Amino acid sequence: MARKSQLSEEDKLELLFRKQLKLTRQMRNMENKMSSIYKRKELFRGYRIFMLSSALIHEAIELQRETNWKWWKRGSNMSIENCQQELIDILHFVIQLSIELKLNPTTLVEKYSLKHVENISRQKKGY
């Protein structure tokens, strides 16, 4: 019997969500700053979403810092490897936010696809 050598794109997204859910469950049993947002009652409605989106923003800033964005300053060689690592950090928070917002991989792809069509339309209209 031939074994499937590669996962489909949908399967890969499902795999990432499963890994993130497992990590979240493990964090609940750990003592660290990240786990604290799951152990306490939300300070206000949307607290975890606020904290996760703040983390996502700061990871994006870390990615930006890997580039030579300061045009007035002598640049250094950008490390693609470091940029990829920052992007993976961002992806962790995007997936966790998706989970917090009750988006599973199927719904995420559906909503992305609808927004993608809207974005194409906007570009055609000069948005």
Side-chain angles (χ1 to χ4, degrees):
M1 175 182 265
R3 187 173 162 209
K4 192 165 132 181
S5 62
Q6 292 184 333
L7 297 171
S8 70
E9 294 305 312
E10 292 80 2
D11 290 339
K12 289 176 184 176
L13 189 55
E14 290 277 350
L15 174 69
L16 295 178
F17 269 68
R18 279 194 309 272
K19 286 182 177 225
Q20 189 65 36
L21 282 166
K22 182 179 178 183
L23 176 61
T24 303
R25 283 192 301 273
Q26 290 172 340
M27 280 190 303
R28 292 175 197 265
N29 298 320
M30 297 177 186
E31 290 300 323
N32 60 44
K33 289 183 180 181
M34 186 66 188
S35 67
S36 69
I37 70 170
Y38 294 98
K39 290 181 178 180
R40 69 168 66 132
K41 184 180 176 198
E42 286 194 305
L43 300 175
F44 52 86
R45 186 168 185 256
Y47 173 74
R48 279 193 296 279
I49 292 167
F50 169 79
M51 295 297 285
L52 292 165
S53 62
S54 294
L56 187 148
I57 290 165
H58 288 280
E59 291 297 342
I61 290 168
E62 288 180 22
L63 173 58
Q64 180 191 49
R65 286 182 182 152
E66 290 293 329
T67 70
N68 292 310
W69 69 275
K70 292 181 180 177
W71 64 89
W72 65 90
K73 190 175 177 182
R74 180 180 293 175
S76 60
N77 290 333
M78 183 182 81
S79 165
I80 293 296
E81 178 68 27
N82 289 350
C83 289
Q84 289 172 348
Q85 290 301 314
E86 295 303 339
L87 185 59
I88 297 306
D89 288 342
I90 291 168
L91 185 57
H92 272 93
F93 287 110
V94 167
I95 293 171
Q96 188 62 41
L97 277 165
S98 298
I99 292 166
E100 290 291 329
L101 292 169
K102 311 289 188 244
L103 290 171
N104 61 39
T106 301
T107 307
L108 181 66
V109 170
E110 289 170 358
K111 289 186 176 284
Y112 174 92
S113 297
L114 289 171
K115 185 65 174 182
H116 184 72
V117 169
E118 180 183 330
N119 288 342
I120 290 171
S121 175
R122 287 177 168 176
Q123 292 305 309
K124 287 179 180 177
K125 294 177 183 174
Y127 180 78

